[in-house]
Structures are given as C-alpha cells and as structure tokens.
Amino acid sequence: MTDTTSTEQVDSAAQFGSSRVKRGLAEMLKGGVIMDVVNAEQARIAEDAGAVAVMALERVPADIRSQGGVARMSDPDLIDSIRAEVSIPVMAKARIGHFVEAQVLQALEVDYIDESEVLSPADYVNHIDKWNFTIPFVCGATNLGEALRRITEGAAMIRSKGEAGTGDVSEATKHIRTIKGEIARLSSLTKDELYVAAKELQAPYELVAEIAATGKLPVVLFTAGGVATPADAAMMMQLGADGVFVGSGIFKSGNPQERANAIVKAVAFYDDAKIIADVSRGLGEAMVGINVSDLAAPHRLSERGW
Amino acid sequence: MSVGVLALQGDFREHADVLRSLGSEVTLVRRPEELASVTGLVIPGGESSVMDKLTRMFGLAEPLRAAVERGMPVYGTCAGLIMLADTVLDAIRGQQSIGGLDISVRRNAFGSQTASFETDLEVPALGEAPVHAVFIRAPVVESVGPMATALATIADGRCVAVEQGNLLGTSFHPEITGEYRFHEYFLQKVRSAAFRG
C-alpha cells in the first residue's frame, strides 16, 4: 500500500508514514482554517484567502443534508482538479469503515483522509484500520472516549464533530467542551481510578494514563461543524481548539472570499475582540442555517460513528 | 531579554516549549510592538503562504524585513525557512518572503504527504551525533548563493539546512523531535548579538 517510488531516491534509511510524520502534518496546520471546496475555482478562492488546507468534496454538508441520498467519496477527477489548482495540503473524505475508498484516496496522493460522518457510513461496526496506511487520517469525535478509540485505530488528528451543514455552532461548542472537560477530569484522577476511567472510555489504559499525565490529546484537536462566522471560529479557538474546519459556512454565504479571509484572521487573533470586530464588518449574509434542535434525530450526522 | 516566536499560524507552541526548556524567556509575536520587544525570533513550521499573508495584513512584514537587515538573529523551520529565503520557487500566486538568506527554496519539494519522512542527518556544525530530522511536505534549498553556507544535506545531496550570519534555516522540524541543538545554536547567536548590542 505504501508508495515508495520516491523513497529510495531521497534516502534509503528514510521512514515514511510513521506516527510522527502523520501527526506532524497536523501540527503544522495548527492555528489555521481548513475549508470545504467542491471545485477548483473554490479551491483557488480558499488558498487566496489564506486557508491552511482544503477539503475536496462533491457536495458541502448543507447540500448533502438538503439533497439526501447516499453520500460517498468524491470522483477522482474532481480531487485531481483541486490538487492541480492549489499547493496547500488537500484533504478528502472517505466513508466511515470504507477502507477501499481510503486506499483510493491514498493512491490519488491527497495529503490527509477524513474518515467522515458527513458521508454515509459503509460499516456500522468497524472504522478503518488506519495503521495500515502511509497517509494520515483525521476522524470526528463528540467526546473523549470516541477520540481515544479513533486514536487507537491510528487517527493522527481529531476534529470535534459539531453538526455539519447547519450553520449552528451549538453542537461544536458542546463537543469541544465535552472533550476538554473530560481531559481535565482525567488529570485529577488517581491511578486506581484511571483503570476504571479507561474501561468507561473504552480506550487502552496506557493512552488514558498518558492523557491524564500530559493534560492533552497526543494528537492535534480541531473543531468542525456549524462554524459560520469569524466570531464562531474565534470562540472555538478560545475553547481550546488547535484550529477550525469550515464546511458550508464559507461557500454558502453571500461573499465567500471576504468571509474566508475574515475567518482566517479571526483564528490567528482569536483572543483580540477588536480585530474580530473589524473583520466581522460588511461580510454580507452568513449561511442561512438550520437550528440543530429542529433536526429530527435520524438527520443528525454527529450521531454517526461510535 | 526575551526571544520571540512568530505566532500567527503553525507549531509555534512547540518552539516556545523548546526555547523555555533551554532557559529563555519567550514572547509570542503577532504584532509589530511584540516584535520590537524581542532580541531574536523563531519563525515556526506551518503554511508559508498563510504566514506571508498574515504578516502583510497585520503590518509585520516590513518590521520583520527591517529586523533581519539590522542583524537580528532569526531561525526558520520549514515554512520559516521559506519566509527567510530571498527566492521562493513554486510559491502560490502573489506569495512573498521576508528574505535575508541568499538561497532559492522550493516549496513542498518532495510531493504530497505520503512522501513525508524522517531520517538521520549529519550536521557537522552541531557535533558528531546525527540529527534526527522530520520532513513534512518539506521545502529544499535548491541553490545556495555565495553569502550563505549549507549546514546539512540529505542522502541525494540536496541542501536542507543553511546559515548566513545571524540567520539560520532548516527544511525539517527539530522542535517536534526533542532535538535541541539547533535552538541552542540559535540562542548563541542571540546572546552574542545582544552582547555586541
């Protein structure tokens, strides 16, 4: 599965696809905004506006939600056209458990795979065994146990899920607060209590003990789902996110270029209300949005994955 | 005396941690007045095109250029190396650099993330023990001008670490491997620049 064509040319002792290399790319994305794009033109706008990476997909979550049907990995031609347009990292989504979509995305040489609840799950029991891949994976989580199970399966980056395609940030807030709160709680436990915590979190004891000792996840934690304004993005950063994914919020708004750039600035200066005020001026209409509380439970994407 | 880390985007916290563990006081730099308060600066890993945009939007690019010209010690890793290069190849449309290092750097020279790797490097300037280096969508120094000196090359001969006066740049990320010698080397430059004052 490993593409080694370029390997030997560089260095016969070089190690590819190690945890450090996979987690390292996420470290470099910190303090940045990853934007959903559905074509090369949007990718160009995102790169020009200061996106740190783009997520290449056929439909943004708001359209997946309104059009319904099964949502799958994007057409390789679409991914290639976006890769050809920009030089920042390109991510793409595979369905939960769909390891062949992931193999295809690795062969297409995208930079990161999002094993995503926004697409229709392909396996309601198992996630992808992500250790089998050279390419790194980001996975969604609504709480610490889910994050740790994904890291155990090899995820090199976690994003709190939020409720994608709504423009309602309340679920994103809930998920990042839950993850941060559960980490803080672990730090206060004694060793005997950590054994029980590991059992409750359904995660390996060693990983739970490591988090209790360091007070943070061993991988980068971004926030996603419902972020639509510069203030939304800055709030996620103040709540402790390392960076932000913005899906429908940019290209479903009145002025994508300006809004994308404003969100980039708000993430860099997330603790400076004056700058956030300045960049929030005159952005035109935000995406219309749906209140999560109006969504019937079967339509909540964040409940996919376990 | 405080050392700055450019904190607009990227792995600036990791650099700050290394510098603090070496006994430095650290200031995170996002504004011109913060830059004015430091005696040296690290430009971290991250996305060079984003750092370039943000430094220009928030009025840091010109003060940074002036600081480099005045001889302030600056160490750039990966994106930071790109920011310090006089010439950037494969830049995004309109991308600029601060400059200072007499080199041409090619952005993302190895290809996509699946070509990212870690390996051991000989760096004679830092002593005999090899440096464990992580290359993440890394740039390489394609040509080294007469003012700059190559400090390390990978097995195929391409240059991945350079020095020129008070400027230091690496394609790779010592800040995420527990390798402190580049930061120590940089802090020596900071101390002697402050001494000459």
Side-chain angles (χ1 to χ4, degrees):
Chain A
M1 233 176 274
T2 311
D3 174 9
T4 52
T5 45
S6 56
T7 322
E8 287 97 305
Q9 298 164 1
V10 173
D11 183 343
S12 56
Q15 263 186 286
F16 294 77
S18 61
S19 277
R20 190 180 261 158
V21 166
K22 289 174 170 177
R23 293 175 181 185
L25 178 54
E27 299 285 349
M28 302 312 147
L29 301 176
K30 287 191 299 193
V33 183
I34 300 169
M35 302 181 192
D36 278 5
V37 297
V38 301
N39 55 43
E41 186 196 346
Q42 290 187 354
R44 157 83 14 238
I45 290 171
E47 187 178 75
D48 284 346
V52 78
V54 291
M55 178 74 69
L57 70 177
E58 267 167 9
R59 295 183 286 171
V60 295
D63 289 334
I64 291 174
R65 193 177 280 293
S66 65
Q67 294 162 5
V70 175
R72 311 179 177 88
M73 177 189 80
S74 298
D75 186 324
D77 279 345
L78 174 84
I79 291 168
D80 283 350
S81 71
I82 289 169
R83 282 195 67 225
E85 184 65 30
V86 297
S87 60
I88 56 176
V90 175
M91 300 184 166
K93 289 184 194 287
R95 283 180 267 178
I96 289 175
H98 206 314
F99 53 87
V100 174
E101 283 188 351
Q103 291 164 8
V104 170
L105 292 173
Q106 177 166 278
L108 291 172
E109 296 191 356
V110 300
D111 296 294
Y112 239 93
I113 294 175
D114 184 1
E115 186 182 16
S116 178
E117 72 282 359
V118 167
L119 305 183
S120 308
D123 186 332
Y124 279 92
V125 180
N126 307 291
H127 282 69
I128 298 169
D129 176 2
K130 293 165 275 285
W131 298 113
N132 273 335
F133 291 79
T134 307
I135 190 169
F137 284 73
V138 55
C139 289
T142 59
N143 57 49
L144 182 60
E146 204 176 341
L148 298 189
R149 291 192 290 280
R150 297 297 85 77
I151 293 168
T152 305
E153 295 156 3
M157 178 179 185
I158 296 292
R159 57 173 170 74
S160 61
K161 282 180 181 172
E163 188 57 42
T166 60
D168 179 348
V169 82
S170 62
E171 289 292 290
T173 307
K174 180 165 93 186
H175 298 155
I176 189 87
R177 278 194 189 275
T178 301
I179 293 169
K180 287 282 173 181
E182 288 175 311
I183 292 172
R185 181 179 162 269
L186 280 189
S187 303
S188 69
L189 298 184
T190 57
K191 195 175 175 196
D192 51 347
E193 291 168 331
L194 283 177
Y195 289 113
V196 180
K199 195 170 69 181
E200 287 168 356
L201 291 165
Q202 300 175 49
Y205 170 76
E206 292 70 23
L207 186 55
V208 171
E210 182 192 337
I211 290 163
T214 61
K216 60 188 183 78
L217 291 180
V219 301
V220 165
L221 172 65
F222 269 49
T223 291
V227 174
T229 68
D232 287 349
M235 180 162 89
M236 295 304 119
M237 296 299 287
Q238 287 197 26
L239 288 171
D242 290 318
V244 178
F245 283 84
V246 186
S248 322
I250 290 173
F251 289 100
K252 287 288 168 190
S253 75
N255 189 341
Q257 181 123 31
E258 294 261 317
R259 183 166 296 267
N261 189 243
I263 292 174
V264 168
K265 291 177 184 167
V267 165
F269 288 88
Y270 65 90
D271 52 356
D272 188 328
K274 268 194 161 156
I275 289 178
I276 299 164
D278 278 346
V279 303
S280 300
R281 291 175 205 278
L283 292 180
E285 257 175 72
M287 71 178 283
V288 177
I290 313 165
N291 289 307
V292 173
S293 54
D294 297 341
L295 281 177
H299 298 294
R300 295 194 186 165
L301 304 177
S302 63
E303 289 169 19
R304 294 172 171 175
W306 33 89
Chain B
M1 177 183 115
S2 179
V3 176
V5 181
L6 188 68
L8 290 167
Q9 191 272 316
D11 70 336
F12 50 85
R13 277 185 217 100
E14 284 64 26
H15 278 288
D17 290 346
V18 174
L19 292 168
R20 283 195 194 102
S21 72
L22 293 172
S24 286
E25 201 181 300
V26 176
T27 300
L28 296 181
V29 172
R30 290 181 297 176
R31 301 171 178 85
E33 59 270 29
E34 289 156 354
L35 180 63
S37 75
V38 299
T39 53
L41 184 75
V42 171
I43 307 181
E47 176 48 52
S48 62
S49 62
V50 176
M51 279 184 218
D52 162 47
K53 279 196 183 72
L54 290 170
T55 52
R56 283 190 280 141
M57 285 170 182
F58 290 96
L60 259 179
E62 281 313 317
L64 263 170
R65 234 166 244 132
V68 167
E69 272 165 30
R70 273 200 317 275
M72 184 168 84
V74 184
Y75 173 31
T77 63
C78 196
L81 169 71
I82 296 170
M83 291 289 283
L84 287 175
D86 281 347
T87 307
V88 181
L89 308 169
D90 288 344
I92 79 161
R93 192 171 67 182
Q95 182 172 352
Q96 299 174 15
S97 68
I98 298 301
L101 285 171
D102 181 17
I103 56 173
S104 298
V105 162
R106 186 171 299 280
R107 249 176 104 233
N108 194 17
F110 297 94
S112 78
Q113 170 64 12
T114 49
S116 294
F117 62 98
E118 51 184 309
T119 192
D120 284 333
L121 292 179
E122 304 285 332
V123 187
L126 299 183
E128 261 181 45
V131 165
H132 190 69
V134 182
F135 293 83
I136 297 168
R137 286 176 48 98
V140 297
V141 180
E142 242 174 48
S143 67
V144 181
M147 309 286 283
T149 309
L151 295 181
T153 56
I154 47 176
D156 65 7
R158 285 185 286 178
C159 172
V160 291
V162 290
E163 177 180 24
Q164 179 179 334
N166 277 338
L167 303 180
L168 186 63
T170 59
S171 299
F172 49 91
H173 297 279
E175 73 277 11
I176 63 169
T177 54
E179 167 62 68
Y180 288 10
R181 285 175 290 170
F182 275 99
H183 291 81
E184 278 172 353
Y185 194 69
F186 161 70
L187 287 174
Q188 281 170 22
K189 291 180 188 292
V190 175
R191 278 188 291 270
S192 52
F195 180 72
R196 285 197 307 269

